[in-house]
Amino acid sequence: MVKTTIILDDNIYKELIDESIERYGTTKKLSLLINEKLRNYNKIKNTDNDKLKLTYRLGRKLTNAEINQAKEEYRGKTEWKQ
């Protein structure tokens, strides 16, 4: 394990702190959260895009109609940048 200092934009830091509190109930798990996010990023980066499945947290459950509508709206509109 390596210890380092990074400079984050204020809004990114706030999002990370909020997620750390939501997931772990403390800000002391910030390093764990950042490591998880970097590991997941590397998995996504090295995955065949045809098999890629992304998850988004919306803060509420969607109805089947909303899910189907979103599928239709975004079908074929996604571009992958590497």
Side-chain angles (χ1 to χ4, degrees):
M1 184 178 330
V2 176
K3 213 173 191 185
T4 189
T5 300
I6 59 171
I7 300 172
L8 300 171
D9 291 341
D10 290 342
N11 59 333
I12 292 173
Y13 177 75
K14 184 181 180 323
E15 288 175 19
L16 288 168
I17 289 295
D18 290 347
E19 188 171 346
S20 179
I21 291 170
E22 181 181 325
R23 278 190 181 186
Y24 307 111
T26 181
T27 60
K28 296 183 187 261
K29 300 283 184 170
L30 189 57
S31 291
L32 175 65
L33 178 64
I34 292 171
N35 277 295
E36 287 176 357
K37 288 187 170 289
L38 290 171
R39 275 189 214 96
N40 288 337
Y41 172 78
N42 284 332
K43 284 181 192 174
I44 290 171
K45 188 176 81 168
N46 296 324
T47 301
D48 181 11
N49 288 335
D50 293 335
K51 298 177 185 175
L52 183 62
K53 179 179 176 182
L54 298 176
T55 303
Y56 295 93
R57 186 177 301 182
L58 300 175
R60 67 181 179 89
K61 294 192 180 244
L62 296 177
T63 65
N64 284 337
E66 290 173 315
I67 293 170
N68 290 331
Q69 180 182 356
K71 283 182 186 177
E72 289 302 315
E73 288 176 9
Y74 294 105
R75 190 176 308 254
K77 292 184 180 180
T78 306
E79 292 181 27
W80 299 103
K81 296 180 181 176
Q82 293 186 1

